[in-house]
Amino acid sequence: MEDCEVVMPNRQDFEKLDVNKSRFPYCIVWTPIPLLTWIFPFIGHMGIAVSSGVIRDFAGPYYVSEDNMAFGKPTKYWKLKPSNAANPHSSWDKAIAIASEEYGHRMHNLCCDNCHSHVAMALNLMEYNGSKNWNMVKLAFLMLVRGKYVSIGGFLKTWLPFLILVSIITTIVLCVKLITT
């Protein structure tokens, strides 16, 4: 019998982003929610990726999706440092798995227990940055200021509907003012 060599993937291969395949290792990802994001462009759908880049997101009541975000491919990502987790080699994927298992048994609530809460639970379990105080408001703010767009298309998908809506409202207000004066 011949000797067989098992080739393990290089850790650096896992850490490479691949936007086309929606692979975002060690990232929090975000995508717009139609209508809601058009009015409030800082509100959207969030997920968290395991070390291989596969995204997990609390997509609805009793359901955490894997590799298929509820509202489409990510338009923004925030790359985190796995070394900032309490146990960087084992806790990252394990924390996401535990949070996903827990949220697979929860009712989705748009305002209080949602996709942001799922990501916060994973970060709290891994004690990311030494903290157990992650929450949906903190994550929404940090994604707004630290998130990077995947492309110009991602930026436009997020902001163009809002800008069109603001332009329409501004035009209507100006026309009404002009007519009444």
Side-chain angles (χ1 to χ4, degrees), residues 68-113:
N68 186 21
M69 280 188 81
F71 295 96
K73 291 185 174 191
T75 59
K76 288 177 79 171
Y77 68 94
W78 172 24
K79 180 92 169 143
L80 301 178
K81 296 178 183 174
S83 59
N84 288 0
N87 185 351
H89 299 295
S90 66
S91 73
W92 187 274
D93 289 349
K94 186 176 181 180
I96 294 171
I98 293 168
S100 297
E101 176 65 26
E102 172 66 29
Y103 273 82
H105 300 287
R106 289 193 184 189
M107 180 60 146
H108 191 279
N109 179 317
L110 187 62
C111 298
C112 302
D113 204 13

Side-chain angles (χ1 to χ4, degrees), residues 140-153:
F141 175 74
L142 289 172
M143 179 56 85
L144 182 66
V145 297
R146 293 188 181 166
K148 295 180 181 178
Y149 290 94
V150 298
S151 64
I152 293 172

